[in-house]
Amino acid sequence: MIRVDRVALRGLKARGHHGVFPREREEGQTFIVDLVLGLDTRPAAADDDLAKTVHYGVVAEEVVAVVEGDPVDLIETLAERIARQCLKHDGVEEVEVVVHKPDAPITVPFDDVTITITRSRV
């Protein structure tokens, strides 16, 4: 079992036009993303060197760009795109992505709809 450290980003907000209904595509809505990146932070800590870890500010900008980018029908697809983007960073061995869709078109009272996926390089 590989043990990795965790860098978490919570509550990244972006407006996207994802969904299966025309209104969702036309008007858009806010999506919220939580990430947990799994990586070995020991080299960065030993040398106090940002280049030896993941730059979470850059990751945050990339994730927002994915959410604001090309629309998809499903939040499952959106989560997969986000995971693939995160795994492009050297050193990131795994990622947990939670996509929240708090304004989903549901006809009964609810707080949130989420999809959670975990992806790794293996």
Side-chain angles (χ1 to χ4, degrees):
M1 172 187 229
I2 298 172
R3 301 234 179 224
V4 292
D5 302 319
R6 306 268 182 231
V7 173
L9 290 91
R10 307 255 187 235
L12 295 170
K13 293 181 184 175
R15 189 157 188 85
H17 293 265
H18 312 289
V20 295
F21 297 112
R23 192 179 116 235
E24 293 178 290
R25 292 294 183 104
E26 293 164 10
E27 297 176 15
Q29 60 192 293
T30 299
F31 291 84
I32 302 166
V33 178
D34 301 325
L35 301 173
V36 179
L37 306 170
L39 65 153
D40 184 355
T41 63
R42 290 175 293 187
D47 295 336
D48 198 27
D49 186 352
L50 177 61
K52 294 182 179 180
T53 188
V54 64
H55 190 310
Y56 51 79
V58 170
V59 172
E61 291 171 359
E62 292 171 351
V63 168
V64 166
V66 170
V67 175
E68 292 175 343
D70 293 335
V72 296
D73 288 343
L74 304 177
I75 59 174
E76 291 86 344
T77 306
L78 181 60
E80 190 70 36
R81 285 182 177 181
I82 292 168
R84 281 197 309 258
Q85 182 61 45
C86 292
L87 289 170
K88 289 180 181 179
H89 288 268
D90 291 337
V92 176
E93 295 298 322
E94 66 182 35
V95 61
E96 179 183 274
V97 177
V98 182
V99 175
H100 301 257
K101 188 174 179 180
D103 298 321
I106 297 176
T107 60
V108 297
F110 75 103
D111 288 329
D112 199 5
V113 172
T114 67
I115 177 74
T116 302
I117 67 170
T118 303
R119 299 292 182 265
S120 66
R121 290 184 184 275
V122 204

